[in-house]
Amino acid sequence: MDSSWEASVTDSVNAIYLLFSAYLVFVMQLGFSMLCAGSVRAKNAMNIMLTNVVDAVVGSLSYYLFGFAFAFGNSNPFIGANFFALKDIPSSSYDYSFFLYQWAFAIAVAGITSGSIAERTQFTAYLFFSFFLTGFVYPVVAHWLWSSNGWLSPNSSYLLFGSGAIDFAGSGVVHLVGGIAGFWGSIIEGPRVGRFDAFGNPVKMRGHNATLVVLGTFLLWFGWFGFNPGSFDKILVPYPHMVDQGNWTSVGRTAVTTTLAGSTAGIVTLFGRRLLVGHWDAMDVCNGVIGGFVAITSGCSVIEPWAAIVCGFCAAWVLIGLNILGLKFKFDDPLEAAQLHGGCGAWGLIFTGLFAKEEFVLQAYNSGKTQTTRPSGLILGGGWGLFGAQIVELLSIVVWVSLTMGPLFYLLQKLGILRISTDEEVAGLDISSHGGYAYDASQEESGPRFYGEYLRMQNQS
């Protein structure tokens, strides 16, 4: 067969693989929407679903105009400076398929942050922080790790500590960024009205629909098979000196490690919460499963399946522990997004520095070439290089997001466009901001049934 024909077929298959992975990752937006809707009270369901739509549509424009250029433009190790509005795309390095895949990642970050500040945030504030987070804050971190000249990138000509940081699908780049942003938003806004009583004791505010939470979790699980295995970008890459093995082998293994980590975290959360609260809680288990997925996302391609079980086991206890700690400090996050995505994302980075296998690192970042060596996990005898790079990544993300998103939320609060009024919060965002309820039966008997009734009540007060 003609070599040019073979190359064309290979490129076509790889493009189809990447596009299909992008579609899977985009399905996660539906999963986030269902999870968020089920996790809040019924009077705020329409609001949280609308914010998920806004994250997608606003994020699309900001990432197209600025985000992709900052993330993958060629400029310096800190930030990119070309490809604005996809100028010069397709190029020798990137095409439209790659942009679409990266866009699906970018809009997921804002969705994470939205969960932390749910049920008490003005709709205008979502527009501001979603545009800024998707168009600037997240892309800069993506440039550090995923651009070929990023200062933390494992593909850079200069490897930090001779290794570079491994964050294959974004435990840090996506989840830690979203989690830290949500943490600052929640801190600056403060807890929801009634979340803690006069003595500082937590008051349970359960989500209104476990069915939506479970549905959202399975949709996220399905999408994660595009999130993690899809991050290879290409599937038809044979490994030299290895018979019948290539990226397709690693893609399959990555799907397995992803499944094992999420499943282990789910079962550990099931029994762990049973011991703590005395009953089997479906919503807690769903968050545990997602926490396992978040943690494995960094090292999914470079660890053995047995190590994924270790990752998921620890991720469950990280989530449980952070939730307990959050309540002690009166921290209110309706979706547990800061604890789940921030805490489990941070654990995922550390875990990769401990358990990455050199053979799999070479497959993921050197197309299986064995003529070179790379630092691997500390526990597996790979030295301190990779572990040190992972810690630097973790700290750098925390500092960067804190210095950018913290002041933004503070400014929005000072301008009076971050948190809604107490009356609006008690009435519910659906009726006070969106003209009606998500469900006909959602309103309380003592509350307004229609937006007009709500306005009349406000005028009488």
Side-chain angles (χ1 to χ4, degrees):
M1 185 180 292
D2 184 76
S3 59
S4 62
W5 171 253
E6 288 183 353
S8 179
V9 170
T10 298
D11 290 343
S12 298
V13 172
N14 286 333
I16 292 171
Y17 176 73
L18 188 59
L19 281 171
F20 182 71
S21 297
Y23 305 151
L24 285 177
V25 177
F26 184 66
V27 167
M28 296 177 78
Q29 287 299 119
L30 177 59
F32 276 128
S33 299
M34 297 299 99
L35 180 72
C36 291
S39 298
V40 300
R41 290 166 291 178
K43 64 183 180 180
N44 297 309
M46 183 185 297
N47 172 263
I48 196 69
M49 287 190 286
L50 182 57
T51 61
N52 277 272
V53 175
V54 166
D55 291 336
V57 297
V58 172
S60 297
L61 294 175
S62 63
Y63 195 71
Y64 162 74
L65 292 172
F66 310 108
F68 186 80
F70 290 146
F72 295 100
N74 299 317
S75 178
N76 58 69
F78 180 77
I79 191 171
N82 61 314
F83 301 139
F84 290 101
L86 297 188
K87 187 178 184 298
D88 300 323
I89 297 292
S91 69
S92 58
S93 302
Y94 308 116
D95 58 12
Y96 293 116
S97 301
F98 184 80
F99 166 79
L100 193 74
Y101 185 67
Q102 295 300 327
W103 157 81
F105 274 65
I107 61 176
V109 180
I112 294 169
T113 306
S114 297
S116 291
I117 57 177
E119 297 200 293
R120 60 200 190 276
T121 305
Q122 292 189 43
F123 189 71
T124 306
Y126 285 108
L127 301 175
F128 281 105
F129 91 76
S130 183
F131 191 91
F132 185 63
L133 182 60
T134 309
F136 180 64
V137 178
Y138 160 77
V140 168
V141 179
H143 184 82
W144 298 350
L145 275 299
W146 293 343
S147 173
S148 59
N149 66 337
W151 69 279
L152 284 169
S153 173
N155 295 314
S156 173
S157 56
Y158 170 75
L159 296 174
L160 181 68
F161 303 145
S163 168
I166 293 178
D167 194 0
F168 187 72
S171 287
V173 176
V174 176
H175 297 284
L176 184 58
V177 167
I180 296 299
F183 170 80
W184 284 111
S186 186
I187 286 289
I188 291 170
E189 280 197 303
R192 290 167 289 175
V193 173
R195 183 64 178 91
F196 299 93
D197 64 21
F199 301 99
N201 300 313
V203 177
K204 190 71 173 177
M205 289 184 172
R206 289 186 62 84
H208 80 281
N209 195 320
T211 303
L212 290 179
V213 172
V214 173
L215 174 61
T217 300
F218 277 115
L219 286 170
L220 288 170
W221 192 330
F222 181 62
W224 237 289
F225 291 131
F227 208 90
N228 287 1
S231 290
F232 277 94
D233 295 344
K234 300 177 180 178
I235 191 169
L236 292 185
V237 178
Y239 297 151
H241 315 299
M242 301 185 74
V243 180
D244 297 330
Q245 289 197 41
N247 269 7
W248 56 88
T249 313
S250 297
V251 163
R253 184 183 65 248
T254 300
V256 170
T257 58
T258 300
T259 300
L260 290 175
S263 299
T264 302
I267 198 70
V268 172
T269 305
L270 176 67
F271 285 97
R273 292 294 296 171
R274 173 68 173 81
L275 292 174
L276 291 172
V277 301
H279 60 265
W280 313 99
D281 194 305
M283 292 187 177
D284 286 340
V285 172
C286 288
N287 277 349
V289 169
I290 297 170
F293 290 150
V294 168
I296 198 63
T297 295
S298 169
C300 55
S301 64
V302 297
I303 54 103
E304 292 274 12
W306 63 264
I309 295 176
V310 176
C311 178
F313 179 88
C314 295
W317 290 111
V318 167
L319 178 58
I320 291 172
L322 287 177
N323 282 333
I324 294 173
L325 190 65
L327 290 178
K328 287 186 178 296
F329 286 92
K330 299 181 179 60
F331 177 74
D332 183 22
D333 184 328
L335 273 293
E336 301 177 4
Q339 302 94 306
L340 194 161
H341 296 275
C344 293
W347 158 242
L349 296 178
I350 296 170
F351 162 80
T352 303
L354 296 174
F355 288 95
K357 184 177 180 179
E358 184 180 12
E359 176 189 353
F360 297 160
V361 174
L362 291 173
Q363 290 176 3
Y365 293 100
N366 294 86
S367 299
K369 297 174 183 177
T370 57
Q371 295 89 344
T372 185
T373 59
R374 273 185 177 268
S376 54
L378 180 63
I379 288 180
L380 300 184
W384 290 90
L386 175 59
F387 184 78
Q390 300 299 105
I391 297 299
V392 170
E393 178 192 349
L394 194 163
L395 296 177
S396 299
I397 290 174
V398 171
V399 171
W400 168 249
V401 179
S402 297
L403 290 177
T404 51
M405 294 303 296
L408 175 65
F409 282 121
Y410 182 77
L411 177 62
L412 293 175
Q413 182 81 325
K414 285 297 182 181
L415 293 174
I417 56 175
L418 182 61
R419 180 154 186 165
I420 59 174
S421 68
T422 300
D423 289 342
E424 290 175 313
E425 184 176 343
V426 172
L429 281 161
D430 287 2
I431 192 67
S432 64
S433 300
H434 305 294
Y437 295 102
Y439 316 105
D440 288 339
S442 66
Q443 70 273 11
E444 299 177 6
E445 292 184 4
S446 59
R449 293 174 299 166
F450 306 106
Y451 186 61
E453 292 183 11
Y454 168 76
L455 291 177
R456 285 193 293 273
M457 290 175 62
Q458 290 293 99
N459 292 332
Q460 293 170 3
S461 61

